[in-house]
Amino acid sequence: INNVFYLPNCVDLDQFNKIRHKRNNKIIFLFIGRIEIDKGLMYLIHAIRKLKNTNKNFEVRLVGIGLNQDYFKKLVTRLNLTEYIKFLGKKSRNEIIDCFYESDVFILPSLHEGFPLTLLEAWAAELPVIITNVGGISKICTNKENALVVPPKNSEAITEAMLELIKNKNLREKLGKNGKKLVEEKYSLGKVVKKILSVYLG
C-alpha cells in the first residue's frame, strides 16, 4: 500500500469551554472507560490501597461499565476502599464532560491502548494525566511535561504518581496546560478536518 494517510483522533474544543468547579477539597482522580481487566483497574485499585496509608484526601471516580464491574466492586468492598473509589456507571456525553470539569487528575492505567480519545479529552479540559506507557502513548506523552507516564502493571508507580500530583499543585497545572496546548495545536477537530479535506481534495 503506497498511498497511506494517518489521521489521529480529535476533540471538538467547543465542547470543552466550561469553568472548573469543585464540590469539596479532595483531589478527584477520574477514570473513564470500560470496567474491565485490560484497563489496568486491578493495579489502580491496589495503588489506591497503598495510597490511603499515606494520604486520605482523595477520591477516585470510575465512569463506565464493563464485563468485570461486579468483580471490581466486590474487590473494592473487600479491601475496604468504598470511601475512596466510586463507581459512577454509564454517563451521557454531557455528563462525561461535566466529570472532567469536576475532577483534578485523569488516570488511565491500561495494559493496552492505541491512541485513547479520553486522553485528548482530559487534556482539552486542561487536566493533568497519569497514563501507562503502552500503545501510542509514548508518541504523544512526555513524562513530567504533559503527563506522568508510568509502566503498565505497576501499582507502586501509580501510587507514587498519584501522591506526587496530590502534593504538587504547580505540576498539576503545568501538565494540564501543556496537554491543552498540544490538543489545540495538533488534535483539535478543526485541525484534523483540514487534514481530511486535504486528503480528499489533493
Side-chain angles (χ1 to χ4, degrees):
I1 301 174
N2 296 319
N3 297 321
V4 176
F5 296 90
Y6 169 71
L7 297 171
N9 277 327
C10 60
V11 178
D12 183 356
L13 291 175
D14 289 340
Q15 295 182 344
F16 291 85
N17 55 7
K18 298 189 176 186
I19 297 174
R20 191 168 309 286
H21 52 280
K22 293 275 292 179
R23 296 179 180 175
N24 55 52
N25 293 322
K26 290 182 178 180
I27 297 297
I28 305 299
F29 292 87
L30 176 67
F31 165 89
I32 298 176
R34 290 177 286 105
I35 309 300
E36 296 182 5
I37 298 293
D38 65 346
K39 288 297 182 179
L41 294 176
M42 176 71 73
Y43 301 95
L44 175 59
I45 289 170
H46 284 290
I48 294 164
R49 180 175 59 84
K50 297 170 187 176
L51 179 61
K52 74 178 181 64
N53 296 326
T54 305
N55 189 296
K56 299 183 184 299
N57 189 38
F58 72 95
E59 181 179 297
V60 180
R61 297 175 179 176
L62 308 180
V63 174
I65 57 175
L67 297 175
N68 306 120
Q69 58 188 355
D70 289 340
Y71 168 76
F72 284 124
K73 286 179 179 179
K74 290 177 182 177
L75 178 62
V76 166
T77 300
R78 181 164 60 83
L79 295 177
N80 297 315
L81 296 175
T82 54
E83 180 182 348
Y84 301 96
I85 302 175
K86 308 298 181 183
F87 291 86
L88 303 187
K90 187 176 182 179
K91 296 289 185 182
S92 69
R93 178 63 182 163
N94 287 337
E95 288 172 331
I96 286 175
I97 293 174
D98 286 340
C99 286
F100 282 117
Y101 282 94
E102 292 169 1
S103 304
D104 299 286
V105 180
F106 181 72
I107 185 163
L108 190 63
S110 300
L111 309 185
H112 314 280
E113 280 292 347
F115 191 94
L117 179 59
T118 50
L119 167 62
L120 300 182
E121 292 176 334
W123 277 338
E126 212 167 306
L127 282 182
V129 302
I130 299 172
I131 199 155
T132 44
N133 189 17
V134 295
I137 301 302
S138 61
K139 296 179 181 179
I140 57 175
C141 291
T142 302
N143 191 43
K144 297 290 183 76
E145 288 298 321
N146 57 19
L148 291 187
V149 184
V150 299
K153 301 182 180 181
N154 192 321
S155 59
E156 291 83 2
I158 295 173
T159 301
E160 291 174 6
M162 294 176 75
L163 185 59
E164 186 170 9
L165 290 185
I166 288 173
K167 291 181 174 181
N168 195 333
K169 181 180 179 181
N170 290 335
L171 181 58
R172 294 201 307 268
E173 292 177 350
K174 173 188 173 181
L175 299 182
K177 287 179 179 177
N178 287 345
K180 174 90 171 189
K181 182 180 179 182
L182 181 61
V183 170
E184 290 172 340
E185 291 177 350
K186 292 186 177 181
Y187 303 110
S188 70
L189 178 62
K191 295 287 178 67
V192 175
V193 165
K194 287 181 180 178
K195 291 181 179 179
I196 294 172
L197 289 175
S198 69
V199 171
Y200 282 100
L201 299 177

